[in-house]
């Protein structure tokens, strides 16, 4: 797609890490789909298989202190920022050790410590929030940039126009990245957007556009790096369109009657994972056996994530009211309506928020201690395993 | 104490909190150069500058959403919406985001955001600018709802709202902006959330008035006393979430009669909710069913005579209180002990 020659490979270690993370996301998503079929996961499940290069190439253009904010299709975004797969899987399973304490589920991953500011279930809902995060970054005089990803379908929402205008007007450091996977659910791009050249959709709002090949992690990284550094320097937004394709259905309940097998097969020829691996082998960065080892390790990691999620307890019924409010013990009347159970929890009192520096990217699963404490005996009680 | 108008009290609260805390930022349509549609933010731009007093485009959902994002990462934004009807364009950010983020993400972040807006009928602004919608916000767990009816409460509650760790829907009343009152001086004179105000003490009937209706109820109570010899106790809950139900229940246990007055619609309204709570928790203390006085169940009409009868005034409150008292006289068996 890009006219320019293919971008050069990064340092071998960096290239390896990208392949490793893309592989982890792919294997994680496949397993999540299996767990859904086995009813371990409830609700909706949106997989990003096919979009791994877009995810990794863009997130790796960020510094640790930069923010990433995403949509309901965000398991990969949590993983790329370093949220342990254990906590992401536990969230899918609705367990206390989930990265949102089992409150959010697939659509609402969150990891403040790693500056992953969440997945949001409302199409277009995350754009204004991204601008607000960027406003705070600027207000505090930091160099932080916010990367806000959303879908081609979301570019038709009111918040798209409102937020791009406002971000340009106020010169807010946001990279808006539209992940153009060709569909909003079952509606193809040309059937939902009058302008299909999505990078141009910000022009009338004062937001310049760029485009990357979202099936190529190198091109995505190159373009996003340019975008991120431009935004960091100018403190003014850009819109990047990443051209990609989702190989699986919109969610697990999608019979995919809106596209042909041939179309999917055509895009699969450009599968970002094997093509990047092939390039690394071709250029002598890795050998075939290392590729296999990376894959085996990803599978093993996902195995451990499933084990961890299985072992993690369900949240206790007593925790139902926790965190509806930040409770102040001196204030009365938070919950006035009586509930049938006298013993029902009224929510726990506030613990100070973690406003510290971004966490190191360690591999140790986060034990969400407060949730654990609340959840000890709640495991068998919800019946969700049935 | 200082005499000031409700609008000036709000302005003073904003000014003091802006001066006290650098993380406080104001955003809204025409709040800066224009001074605010109701002049609440008058003079603040000159004093605090453009970085902190931010005129926004007409983009309600996005303005509130920017407040949400900024609140999640360390600021204390105060967003002004021109009127409560326009908040409907921001309902996504208010309900799906501001109210739910703390819970949805397992308590990892807070959203200390204030969204201020005026409501109320009486200015012939018709069906898109006149409603009282506090019940819509009260419905949502995760939101706090403040409805100040006096200058002192306007100031004290707004200061508390800005210092609050939860998202606050702060509902002012258009007809009260020019009303004067005595306001305690001092930067730490706060009115806490969850503490009702007994506007007038009395022993015969409890009248709960919401938002401007607390003021109307007080006037009705005077008429009840002077013309009917009835001593009404008027309670202004001040915040609907958290709700100081205790103060209302204590009063009902004393008066055995309860009238609830609101300007909003009857179905699913604040009064419906309060009546249910009082019935559930003080049924044995009631000598008559809880009476409600509400706005008419219609979109607010423009024409003056129609608008006038579409929201409650003193006479309806007086009548409701008398009806409540009469009802108990009629239905109580003679000589029955209480
Ligand atoms: C406000 C809103 N409207 C509709 C939906 C239902 N919905 C969920 S995803 C989706 C399609 C969005 O497409 P796109 O923005 O391209 O993102 P993608 O799913 O392709 O990643 C729709 C219509 C929603 N979640 N929120
Ligand atoms: Mg799409």
């Amino acid at each position: 797609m890009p006219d320019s020659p293919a971008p050069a490979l990064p340092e071998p270690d960096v290239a390896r890490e990208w392949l490793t993370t893309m592989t982890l996301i792919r294997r994680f998503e496949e397993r999540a789909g299996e767990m859904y079929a086995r009813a371990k996961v409830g609700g909706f499940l949106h997989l990003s298989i096919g979009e791994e290069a877009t995810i990794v190439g863009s997130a790796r253009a960020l510094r640790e202190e930069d923010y990433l904010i995403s949509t309901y299709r965000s398991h990969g975004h949590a993983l790329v920022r370093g949220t342990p797969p254990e906590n992401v899987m536990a969230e899918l399973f609705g367990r206390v050790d989930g990265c949102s304490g089992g409150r959010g589920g697939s659509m609402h991953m969150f990891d403040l410590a790693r500056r992953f500011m969440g997945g949001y279930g409302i199409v277009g809902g995350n754009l204004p929030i991204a601008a607000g995060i960027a406003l705070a970054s600027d207000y505090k005089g930091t160099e932080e940039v916010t990367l806000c990803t959303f879908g081609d379908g979301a570019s038709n929402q009111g918040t798209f126009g409102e937020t791009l205008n406002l971000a340009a007007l106020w010169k807010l450091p946001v990279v808006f990245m539209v992940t153009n996977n060709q569909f909003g659910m079952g509606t193809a791009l040309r059937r939902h957007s009058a302008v299909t050249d999505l990078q141009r959709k910000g022009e009338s709002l004062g937001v310049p556009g760029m485009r990357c090949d979202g099936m190529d992690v190198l091109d995505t990284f190159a373009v996003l790096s340019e975008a991120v550094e431009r935004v960091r320097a100018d403190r003014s937004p850009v819109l990047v369109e990443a051209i990609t394709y989702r190989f699986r259905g919109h969610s697990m309940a999608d019979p995919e009657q809106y596209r042909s097998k041939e179309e999917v097969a055509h895009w699969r020829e450009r599968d970002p994972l094997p093509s990047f691996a092939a390039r690394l082998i071709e250029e002598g960065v890795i050998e075939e056996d290392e590729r296999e080892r990376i894959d085996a390790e990803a599978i093993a990691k996902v195995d451990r994530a499933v084990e961890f999620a299985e072992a993690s307890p369900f949240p206790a019924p007593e925790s139902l009211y926790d965190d509806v409010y930040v409770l102040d013990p001196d204030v009365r009347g938070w919950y006035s309506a009586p509930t049938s159970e006298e013993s029902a929890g009224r929510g726990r009192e506030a613990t100070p928020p973690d406003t510290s520096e971004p966490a190191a990217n360690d591999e140790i699963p986060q034990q969400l201690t407060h949730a654990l404490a609340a959840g000890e005996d709640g495991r068998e009680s919800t019946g969700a395993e049935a | 104490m200082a005499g000031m108008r409700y609008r000036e009290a709000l302005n003073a609260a904003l000014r003091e909190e802006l001066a006290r805390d650098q993380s406080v930022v104001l955003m809204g349509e025409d709040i800066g150069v224009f001074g605010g549609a109701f002049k609440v933010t008058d003079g603040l731009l000159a004093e605090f500058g453009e970085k902190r007093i931010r005129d926004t485009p007409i983009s309600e959902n996005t303005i509130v959403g920017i407040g949400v994002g900024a609140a999640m990462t360390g600021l204390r934004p105060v967003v002004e919406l021109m009127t409560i009807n326009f908040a409907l364009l921001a309902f996504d950010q208010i309900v799906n985001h501001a109210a739910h983020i703390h819970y949805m993400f397992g308590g990892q972040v807070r959203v200390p955001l204030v969204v201020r807006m005026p409501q109320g009928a009486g200015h012939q602004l018709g069906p898109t600018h006149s409603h009282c919608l506090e019940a819509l916000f009260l419905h949502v767990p995760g939101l706090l709802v403040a409805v100040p009816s006096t200058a002192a409460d306007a100031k004290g509650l707004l200061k508390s709202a800005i210092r609050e760790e939860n998202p606050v829907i702060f509902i002012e009343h258009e007809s009260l902006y020019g009303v004067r009152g005595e306001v305690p001086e001092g930067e730490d004179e706060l009115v806490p959330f969850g503490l009702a105000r007994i506007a007038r003490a009395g022993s015969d009937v409890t009248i709960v008035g919401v938002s401007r209706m607390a003021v109307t109820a007080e006037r009705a109570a005077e008429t009840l006393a002077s013309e009917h010899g009835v001593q009404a106790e008027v309670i202004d809950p001040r915040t609907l979430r958290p709700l100081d139900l205790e103060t209302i229940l204590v009063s009902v246990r004393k008066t055995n009669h309860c009238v609830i007055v609101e300007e909003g619609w009857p179905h699913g309204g604040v009064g419906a909710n309060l009546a249910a709570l009082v019935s559930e928790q003080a049924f044995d203390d009631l000598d008559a069913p809880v009476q409600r006085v509400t706005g008419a169940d219609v979109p607010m009409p423009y024409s003056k005579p129609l608008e006038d009868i579409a929201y409650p005034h003193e006479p309806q409150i007086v009548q409701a209180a008398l009806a409540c008292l009469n009802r108990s006289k009629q239905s109580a068996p003679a000589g029955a002990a209480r």
Side-chain angles (χ1 to χ4, degrees):
Chain A
M1 177 179 322
D3 307 327
S4 43
L9 288 180
E11 293 297 310
D13 282 353
V14 173
R16 250 184 234 112
E17 189 273 322
W18 291 359
L19 181 65
T20 303
T21 304
M22 285 168 66
T23 308
L24 175 66
I25 296 172
R26 172 69 56 95
R27 292 302 191 191
F28 184 96
E29 294 288 63
E30 289 170 349
R31 186 66 67 83
E34 286 166 27
M35 291 297 119
Y36 190 85
R38 291 177 49 197
K40 295 284 181 190
V41 180
F44 290 148
L45 186 74
H46 308 89
L47 305 178
S48 49
I49 293 175
E51 301 177 15
E52 295 89 346
T54 304
I55 296 167
V56 174
S58 60
R60 287 297 172 258
L62 298 175
R63 296 182 186 167
E64 242 177 35
E65 71 264 28
D66 291 336
Y67 293 99
L68 174 65
I69 185 166
S70 167
T71 70
Y72 46 84
R73 199 182 297 286
S74 72
H75 313 156
H77 291 116
L79 294 172
V80 77
R81 288 245 96 178
T83 307
E86 286 87 344
N87 298 120
V88 183
M89 193 64 84
E91 189 59 35
L92 295 181
F93 279 46
R95 308 300 172 106
V96 286
D97 294 307
C99 56
S100 300
R103 294 292 182 70
S106 167
M107 298 197 281
H108 309 108
M109 300 288 168
F110 195 85
D111 191 343
L112 180 66
R114 293 178 179 81
R115 302 217 160 172
F116 172 51
M117 300 306 283
Y120 294 80
I122 302 296
V123 171
N126 63 336
L127 279 92
I129 296 176
I133 293 168
L135 174 68
S137 292
D138 249 13
Y139 191 86
K140 291 181 265 187
T142 72
E143 287 193 350
E144 298 154 3
V145 165
T146 296
L147 172 61
C148 173
T149 79
F150 51 91
D152 46 293
S155 73
N156 301 315
Q157 279 287 40
T159 50
F160 176 86
E162 289 187 4
T163 305
L164 264 68
N165 174 61
L166 217 147
L169 186 72
W170 285 4
K171 294 179 74 60
L172 299 177
V174 187
V175 176
F176 294 101
M177 185 173 82
V178 50
T179 299
N180 176 4
N181 61 8
Q182 314 301 327
F183 294 95
M185 282 183 71
T187 307
L189 176 62
R190 75 191 144 69
R191 294 183 58 240
H192 74 61
S193 183
V195 171
T196 53
D197 200 1
L198 297 183
Q199 61 161 332
R200 298 194 53 197
K201 261 185 141 169
E203 271 174 17
S204 73
L205 304 163
V207 180
M210 298 167 82
R211 172 177 289 155
C212 68
D213 179 358
M215 300 305 261
D216 178 356
V217 68
L218 299 170
D219 190 59
T220 304
F221 177 78
V223 172
L224 266 294
S225 296
E226 191 188 328
V228 167
E229 291 322 315
R230 181 165 154 190
V231 166
R232 199 184 308 283
D234 297 354
R235 314 310 289 171
S236 193
V238 301
L239 173 66
V240 184
E241 176 185 12
I243 308 278
T244 181
Y245 198 79
R246 98 175 127 59
F247 292 165
R248 302 280 289 261
H250 167 72
S251 68
M252 300 303 286
D254 176 3
E256 295 182 61
Q257 281 161 349
Y258 49 85
R259 62 184 185 185
S260 66
K261 293 220 162 52
E262 292 71 34
E263 180 184 316
V264 180
H266 172 74
W267 278 90
R268 274 196 188 265
E269 282 165 26
R270 303 202 48 233
D271 188 330
L273 251 180
S275 59
F276 184 52
R279 171 112 191 253
L280 294 188
I281 292 171
E282 200 178 291
E283 299 209 14
V285 178
I286 59 167
E287 310 257 316
E288 174 58 25
D289 62 347
E290 186 172 1
R291 192 196 62 77
E292 280 167 23
R293 192 169 48 70
I294 286 173
D295 193 40
E297 275 170 15
I299 292 171
K301 258 193 192 175
V302 175
D303 283 344
R304 285 199 297 276
V306 169
E307 259 169 56
F308 178 90
E310 287 272 25
S312 173
F314 282 108
E318 297 80 60
S319 69
L320 180 65
Y321 285 87
D322 287 353
D323 298 321
V324 176
Y325 292 103
V326 180
L327 295 180
D328 176 342
D330 294 335
V331 173
R332 54 180 167 168
W334 296 101
Y335 303 97
S336 302
T339 59
S340 46
E341 285 168 64
E342 271 308 308
S343 60
R346 285 309 193 187
R348 63 187 157 94
E349 275 169 28
T351 43
D354 178 5
T355 52
S356 56
E357 294 302 295
N361 210 341
D362 56 35
E363 294 282 310
I364 303 159
Q366 260 176 308
Q367 300 279 337
L368 300 173
T369 45
H370 62 260
L372 256 187
E376 234 111 61
D377 54 4
R379 190 179 172 199
E380 307 301 337
S381 58
T382 74
E385 301 236 25
Chain B
M1 289 283 184
M4 58 175 90
R5 295 180 199 282
Y6 185 93
R7 145 187 313 120
E8 292 160 350
L10 292 165
N11 183 281
L14 292 170
R15 174 175 281 112
E16 287 174 16
E17 294 306 299
L18 280 158
R20 192 184 69 88
D21 182 352
Q22 282 295 316
S23 65
V24 178
V25 183
L26 270 50
M27 297 188 273
E29 294 158 15
D30 283 309
I31 65 164
V33 174
F34 189 79
F38 293 92
K39 297 284 178 238
V40 171
T41 51
D42 209 17
L44 298 180
L45 175 62
E47 194 170 336
F48 296 99
E50 285 198 333
K51 188 177 169 195
R52 302 188 66 195
I53 312 297
R54 308 180 79 105
D55 277 320
T56 69
I58 306 158
S59 306
E60 285 79 8
N61 199 29
T62 286
I63 304 165
V64 173
I66 286 199
V68 173
M72 287 166 77
T73 45
L75 301 193
R76 289 186 174 271
V78 181
V79 171
E80 174 177 309
L81 299 177
M82 263 187 204
T83 85
I84 202 164
N85 285 77
F86 309 159
L88 300 178
L89 282 87
F91 231 57
D92 171 47
Q93 285 298 328
I94 293 173
V95 179
N96 287 320
H97 297 91
H100 293 173
I101 277 172
H102 185 62
Y103 191 83
M104 175 162 91
F105 297 139
Q108 287 177 77
V109 274
R110 300 175 173 188
V111 185
L113 166 72
V114 182
V115 185
R116 295 180 36 241
M117 60 195 99
Q119 68 176 10
H123 298 91
Q124 284 198 274
L125 299 174
T128 59
H129 287 63
S130 310
H131 291 128
C132 282
L133 303 178
E134 59 271 56
L136 295 183
F137 300 98
L138 168 63
H139 192 58
V140 183
L143 296 179
L144 300 184
V145 181
V147 282
S149 70
T150 67
D153 286 353
K155 183 175 179 202
L157 287 173
L158 184 52
K159 286 169 70 78
S160 290
I162 294 171
R163 300 185 193 190
E164 180 49 61
E165 294 296 327
N166 297 286
V168 178
I169 302 299
F170 194 90
I171 304 178
E172 300 157 15
H173 199 289
E174 284 178 30
S175 297
L176 298 177
Y177 279 131
V179 176
R180 285 185 160 281
E182 289 298 313
V183 178
E185 283 168 292
E187 105 151 26
D188 286 314
E189 283 292 335
L190 306 186
V191 173
F193 277 30
L195 188 64
R197 179 174 62 89
I198 300 178
R200 184 186 193 282
S203 51
D204 298 330
V205 54
T206 301
I207 306 179
V208 181
V210 177
S211 182
R212 184 228 327 229
M213 287 299 122
V215 179
T216 313
E218 256 190 280
R219 282 205 305 270
E222 266 138 46
T223 308
L224 281 166
S226 60
E227 295 179 17
H228 304 278
V230 167
Q231 294 303 328
E233 181 145 291
V234 177
I235 297 179
D236 175 354
R238 299 204 277 204
T239 56
L240 302 176
R241 282 237 204 193
L243 176 69
D244 180 5
L245 187 59
E246 204 43 44
T247 294
I248 297 169
L249 294 178
V250 165
S251 176
V252 169
R253 287 189 188 114
K254 176 175 69 178
T255 65
N256 312 108
H257 295 87
C258 183
V259 177
I260 300 161
V261 193
E262 69 184 309
E263 202 175 316
W265 293 311
H267 291 285
V270 176
N273 184 55
L274 262 181
L277 291 172
V278 170
S279 306
E280 281 164 359
Q281 300 191 28
F283 184 75
D284 294 338
D285 297 296
L286 288 169
D287 285 352
V290 176
Q291 292 265 335
R292 283 186 293 153
V293 182
T294 74
D297 201 15
V298 298
M300 189 56 66
Y302 160 74
S303 176
K304 193 68 188 159
L306 290 182
E307 185 188 43
D308 271 345
I309 57 170
Y311 68 97
H313 301 273
E314 233 182 281
Q316 284 122 289
I317 303 173
V318 171
Q319 269 168 30
L322 294 176
C324 190
L325 290 163
N326 274 333
R327 172 99 188 239
S328 68
K329 270 190 214 128
Q330 283 160 16
S331 62
R338 193 157 271 162

